[in-house]
Amino acid sequence: MSNGSTPPASRRRARTFRPAPTAPAVLAVLAALGCAGCGALGGGTASEGGSGPDRPAAAGQHTPKAGPDDDTASKDGSRERGTAAGGGPLKGKVVVIDPGHNPTNRDHTAEIARQVDVGNARKECDTTGTSTDAGYAEADFTLDVARRARTLLRKEGVRVVFTQDGDKPYGPCVDERAEIGNTAHADAAISIHADGAGAGNRGFHVIRPGVVHAGGADTRKITGPSRDLADHIVGRFVAATGSAPANYINDGKGLDTRTDLGGLNLSRVPKVFLECGNMRDAQDAAHLTDPAWRQKAAAGIAEGLTGFLRR
């Protein structure tokens, strides 16, 4: 759940519940977005064996810290040296992945409550995120999916930078997360989340930056390419996971536009937020806690990003 990503209670109460789109509706989304060639990276079930930073955590289990070969961002936003991406077709491209929240934010409530400037407002540095009713934390989910996506992107030659990899005591703050993408001169950036809406609200959605020109925020140059990136992510995510666009956001289109998220407002590179599903809905939670489904989600993210990079 991104900082402020779930609409206020007054807006949620105004919604009328609509069932998740049927299979024909999902296919219509793919057709509308021209999702030819979806599944190029594959979304099969991941092996649960092995070791290292890409090994998935079991549902409800704290995600282990990153290994020494990870390309994470240092405190000032610069990239630390790690294992370079291979010589794939997208060598030279840089993607920043922002795993939403931090597993140990819960131990630093005072620090994450600090207000930071997001251009048109001041917001909390970060939040703890949400969880399933059984206690599987959003922050553990986002790290697991992000690491799986990183593995797939590296095979294509992409250099992947993380905003955090379980290696920071809390945060980083939303303004720092945006700056990491800016400093890396990323070709694309994505913030991975899961929503905390009411039960019965199902599906995923992608949040695009709206036009903000205030204080240190100026999204005017990135709104167009960010919309293109969002379209790629929506189409590939549908194809890879079989999930339907959210039935509680923007009439089931899988897309939303926001001007109140610091990670988007302060970005100078094409960027979107992805809410992979609703952790508070039992059916969505069953997917989010399933390692095989998380591998499919990672494939959808990686395919959306590589499709955007190849355009």
Side-chain angles (χ1 to χ4, degrees):
M1 180 172 63
S2 54
N3 287 14
S5 67
T6 301
S10 59
R11 181 177 164 193
R12 291 201 302 272
R13 285 195 297 269
R15 293 192 184 108
T16 301
F17 172 74
R18 294 183 298 275
T22 60
V26 172
L27 293 174
V29 171
L30 294 176
L33 294 171
C35 190
C38 290
L41 293 176
T45 302
S47 168
E48 295 304 309
S51 60
D54 293 306
R55 181 180 179 180
Q61 194 172 36
H62 180 69
T63 310
K65 287 188 176 182
D69 64 335
D70 293 303
D71 193 8
T72 55
S74 61
K75 186 174 181 180
D76 63 1
S78 60
R79 278 184 289 157
E80 297 172 356
R81 292 188 180 275
T83 301
L90 292 173
K91 184 177 181 179
K93 296 292 186 181
V94 178
V95 164
V96 167
I97 297 181
D98 174 28
H101 312 287
N102 183 318
T104 53
N105 274 356
R106 61 180 178 268
D107 301 322
H108 297 272
T109 54
E111 290 89 344
I112 66 173
R114 177 172 62 88
Q115 298 283 299
V116 299
D117 188 356
V118 299
N120 57 1
R122 294 187 67 80
K123 297 193 69 173
E124 295 167 305
C125 158
D126 202 3
T127 64
T128 58
T130 188
S131 67
T132 66
D133 290 341
Y136 180 48
E138 177 188 2
D140 288 333
F141 168 82
T142 64
L143 266 177
D144 183 68
V145 172
R147 289 170 177 171
R148 292 169 183 269
R150 174 176 58 196
T151 297
L152 296 172
L153 288 166
R154 282 177 168 173
K155 291 177 180 178
E156 298 294 304
V158 177
R159 180 82 174 190
V160 181
V161 179
F162 272 28
T163 59
Q164 61 91 14
D165 200 356
D167 54 348
K168 301 180 187 298
Y170 66 90
C173 296
V174 293
D175 55 342
E176 296 174 274
R177 291 173 187 256
E179 187 56 31
I180 288 166
N182 298 339
T183 302
H185 302 289
D187 297 286
I190 187 168
S191 188
I192 300 173
H193 291 267
D195 213 350
N201 294 320
R202 295 195 59 202
F204 76 94
H205 66 281
V206 179
I207 305 172
R208 311 169 293 194
V211 176
V212 177
H213 185 210
D218 187 355
T219 64
R220 291 175 294 178
K221 291 183 179 179
I222 68 162
T223 53
S226 295
R227 285 174 178 268
D228 190 16
L229 173 59
D231 287 346
H232 278 82
I233 296 294
V234 168
R236 270 50 176 194
F237 202 81
V238 168
T241 66
S243 294
N247 61 11
Y248 61 103
I249 297 288
N250 196 17
D251 296 322
K253 296 182 176 67
L255 294 165
D256 197 11
T257 301
R258 301 280 294 274
T259 59
D260 62 329
L261 299 175
L264 296 181
N265 287 3
L266 299 174
S267 181
R268 297 192 298 273
V269 302
K271 185 174 182 179
V272 297
F273 277 43
L274 169 63
E275 299 281 0
C276 295
N278 178 21
M279 298 197 107
R280 293 297 186 175
D281 177 80
Q283 294 183 68
D284 270 11
H287 291 311
L288 299 169
T289 56
D290 177 12
W293 188 91
R294 294 199 298 270
Q295 184 66 23
K296 294 176 183 178
I301 291 167
E303 290 166 10
L305 286 164
T306 56
F308 173 78
L309 296 175
R310 291 188 176 103
R311 76 196 192 289

